Amino acid sequence: ELKVEQNPLFLSMQEGKNYTIYCNYSTTSDRLYWYRQDPGKSLESLFVLLSNGAVKQEGRLMASLDTKARLSTLHITAAVHDLSATYFCAVEYATGRRALTFGSGTRLQVQP
Amino acid sequence: GAVVSQHPSWVICKSGTSVKIECRSLDFQATTMFWYRQFPKQSLMLMATSNEGSKATYEQGVEKDKFLINHASLTLSTLTVTSAHPEDSSFYICSARGRGLYGYTFGSGTRLTVV
């Protein structure tokens, strides 16, 4: 059974600070996704990471993937209030049923 | 880009009634549709996967007679919550994967409240 563990579950940080969200998964995966969810809304796709060593950046967010360690990170640089949201990583099985298994989510609160 | 339209955005229904939620892929053929349920402050839990023209595959613990999924065409999937009860109140989100596309497109979600 594929397990996806995300930490921290809750993160309160000040504007201008840096922080990293971690996503560990238990079995071989083809792809890893990062999503953002605002309260009461659906998911917004942030990144798709396809291979070992992949790194993608968009604005103040940067995601990376280490398939050997089964670890992905989402790094936040110089946080701003607009980044306040819940962030999910999701992993797609490498074989068999292709569906996403989500981490528990990290609720990020950026304080002015 | 690929768009999935989900309706209604929110619905309130009486206990014991049935509610249908629709998901349409607007600009691509959705070969596979996924239905998720999300309780407040929790993650998304996969309920079922459906391929066009075939029966849905339900996750363990999801009652298939209660959550009826129909994927009759490549652009439409429906989830019907039958005999709804207050514990079915949740945020339901559909997702679609298209032929020749990688990645998943999510609908906007449906907030169901059963009173």
Side-chain angles (χ1 to χ4, degrees):
Chain A
E1 180 190 350
L2 178 61
K3 291 186 179 178
V4 182
E5 293 184 351
Q6 201 174 326
N7 67 84
L9 298 182
F10 178 72
L11 177 57
S12 180
M13 56 192 296
Q14 287 188 315
E15 281 191 328
K17 298 292 186 182
N18 304 332
Y19 210 82
T20 300
I21 299 170
Y22 297 88
C23 177
N24 287 92
Y25 54 97
S26 59
T27 60
T28 304
S29 166
D30 266 353
R31 299 177 183 132
L32 190 136
Y33 299 78
W34 283 96
Y35 294 96
R36 168 182 172 144
Q37 186 179 38
D38 291 297
K41 304 289 186 182
S42 188
L43 302 182
E44 173 190 350
S45 179
L46 295 175
F47 301 107
V48 181
L49 301 170
L50 301 177
S51 60
N52 187 42
V55 177
K56 290 197 174 179
Q57 183 164 4
E58 181 73 35
R60 301 174 188 274
L61 301 178
M62 183 174 71
S64 66
L65 178 62
D66 181 344
T67 57
K68 293 179 181 177
R70 293 178 185 164
L71 170 69
S72 180
T73 61
L74 180 66
H75 187 73
I76 303 154
T77 302
V80 293
H81 180 69
D82 284 352
L83 289 179
S84 297
T86 299
Y87 293 85
F88 291 97
C89 65
V91 176
E92 187 175 29
Y93 279 104
T95 58
R97 178 175 63 84
R98 298 189 76 88
L100 291 180
T101 300
F102 282 83
S104 52
T106 296
R107 191 155 68 95
L108 173 66
Q109 201 169 65
V110 181
Q111 310 284 0
Chain B
V3 176
V4 171
S5 174
Q6 184 173 347
H7 292 282
S9 298
W10 58 271
V11 58
I12 301 174
C13 71
K14 290 186 177 180
S15 192
T17 61
S18 295
V19 173
K20 181 184 284 188
I21 302 169
E22 285 192 356
C23 244
R24 292 181 184 273
S25 57
L26 299 185
D27 49 5
F28 68 100
Q29 293 184 328
T31 51
T32 308
M33 284 273 198
F34 306 87
W35 288 94
Y36 293 87
R37 180 167 53 183
Q38 185 181 32
F39 292 110
K41 297 194 187 330
Q42 292 189 24
S43 188
L44 281 74
M45 298 302 297
L46 180 66
M47 299 175 67
T49 302
S50 72
N51 294 301
E52 185 262 339
S54 60
K55 289 185 179 180
T57 301
Y58 290 80
E59 295 299 298
Q60 194 170 9
V62 178
E63 301 173 59
K64 60 182 179 182
D65 294 331
K66 181 169 186 61
F67 299 99
L68 301 179
I69 291 171
N70 185 284
H71 190 170
S73 77
L74 281 171
T75 58
L76 175 64
S77 178
T78 60
L79 167 66
T80 301
V81 183
T82 63
S83 187
H85 291 286
E87 57 265 31
D88 298 323
S89 299
S90 188
F91 192 51
Y92 292 86
I93 306 175
C94 68
S95 174
R97 194 171 60 221
R99 184 175 292 130
L101 303 175
Y102 76 85
Y104 299 78
T105 304
F106 285 83
S108 53
T110 298
R111 172 80 53 200
L112 169 64
T113 302
V114 185
V115 298

